[in-house]
Structures are given as structure tokens and as C-alpha cells.
Amino acid sequence: QEIWQRFPLTFELAIMGLTLSLLIAIPVGILSALKQNSWVDYLFRSVSVAGLALPSFWLATMLILGLTIWFGWTPPLGYVSFSQNPWINIQQLFLPALVIGYHNAAIIARMTRSAMLEVLREDYVRTAWAKGLNLRSILTVHALRNAMLPILTLAGIELGHLLGGTVVMETIFTLPGIGR
């Protein structure tokens, strides 16, 4: 009974973190693949490696500390469910979801870059370029559609990790999820 009371918060945090990571990672991976070996690619890859290297608990602590010192803002304590007040709920879960999502975005961005580089070298993409199709249609119709399979597979695996890995974020941000 205790688990079923606390599971919706953990699930909501995991879904929000995964959504943020996909919203960040897919455009970053696409741009990194399109601008391969340029300063944009190196910047995005460096940020991705930092996302993999920095521990989430340290990043969350530094985020709270930085926001408190520089802006005088502290994350809201307590918890309001989505059904009571959706706006306050989203405000409460945004920072922990962002910290969780940053690590996952690093993983998914690297996979997106690799999948897009592989697909952009295929013959049907070269044929689309030769036909004179614009970049947007080549990316959306030909490349991204075929590159999404490994990305979505990885996102599903990461959702499983997120459901078990939100314990630390729930503790740091004092959220009453399964980790408590």
C-alpha cells in the first residue's frame, strides 16, 4: 500500500526526466551529426561527456547551491500532487527531472549522433540529396525516421533505469517518492 501511494511521484519524475532528456538529446545529436568534426560537434560532445562524468547527486547539490547563492531561490519544499495543482507540481519536479534528464540526454545524444551519422551515409540519403530535396525533408523523412529505432530502444531501457534511479534525487529534493 505504501509503494502504491508513492509510485505515481516516482513515475512522474522518471517520465518528466526522460521527456526532458529526449527534448534535449535528439536536436543535439542531430546537430552534432550534421556538423561532424566542427566546433559545434566538439562542444556538444564535451557537454555529453560531462553529463556522463558528473555524478547526479553532485550536480543536483551544486544546482541548488548555485541557485540559492546567486539568485536567492530555493526549491519548494513539500509536495503537491499533479491533480491538486499542476503548475506547482511541474515547478517542484522540474529541477530534479532536469538533473536526471541531463545524464540521460548525454547517453541519448551520443546514440542519436551515431545513428544519424550511420544513416546519413546510406545510399538512399545520398539519392535524396541528388534529387535536390531540402535538408528538412531529408532529415525528417529519410534520416531521422530510420535512426529513431535505436534511440527509442535506448530510451525504453533508460526509463527502466530511471524508475530505480530516482532515489537520490527524491532524497536531495525532499520528494516523497519510492526512495523515501
Side-chain angles (χ1 to χ4, degrees):
Q1 185 179 3
E2 188 74 23
I3 290 174
W4 288 116
Q5 287 176 349
R6 294 172 183 257
F7 182 73
L9 170 67
T10 301
F11 185 71
E12 183 182 359
L13 183 59
I15 292 294
M16 204 168 162
L18 184 64
T19 303
L20 284 173
S21 69
L22 288 173
L23 289 175
I24 294 168
I26 291 176
V28 164
I30 291 171
L31 285 173
S32 187
L34 287 176
K35 307 286 185 182
Q36 183 182 13
N37 296 329
S38 69
W39 68 271
V40 174
D41 183 30
Y42 291 130
L43 175 72
F44 286 154
R45 286 195 300 178
S46 298
V47 171
S48 293
V49 168
L52 293 172
L54 294 174
S56 295
F57 67 88
W58 183 83
L59 187 62
T61 306
M62 291 298 116
L63 184 64
I64 291 171
L65 187 62
L67 289 173
T68 303
I69 290 173
W70 291 320
F71 299 110
W73 181 85
T74 57
L77 297 174
Y79 174 68
V80 176
S81 70
F82 190 80
S83 60
Q84 289 175 330
N85 192 336
W87 180 243
I88 291 176
N89 178 268
I90 290 172
Q91 288 176 343
Q92 289 174 333
L93 295 183
F94 181 74
L95 283 180
L98 186 64
V99 171
I100 291 171
Y102 177 54
H103 177 74
N104 286 338
I107 297 168
I108 295 172
R110 292 175 61 86
M111 176 61 79
T112 303
R113 180 184 182 276
S114 298
M116 285 297 291
L117 284 174
E118 186 176 320
V119 169
L120 288 173
R121 293 186 183 114
E122 293 290 334
D123 290 338
Y124 57 87
V125 174
R126 244 178 292 167
T127 304
W129 281 110
K131 285 182 180 179
L133 294 177
N134 61 3
L135 178 65
R136 180 182 226 170
S137 66
I138 290 172
L139 285 178
T140 57
V141 175
H142 299 286
L144 189 59
R145 181 187 295 172
N146 292 310
M148 284 303 288
L149 184 61
I151 297 165
L152 291 177
T153 302
L154 182 63
I157 293 169
E158 288 301 314
L159 179 61
H161 287 131
L162 283 176
L163 287 172
T166 59
V167 173
V168 175
M169 289 305 115
E170 289 172 357
T171 304
I172 290 175
F173 287 95
T174 64
L175 297 171
I178 288 181
R180 302 286 252 157

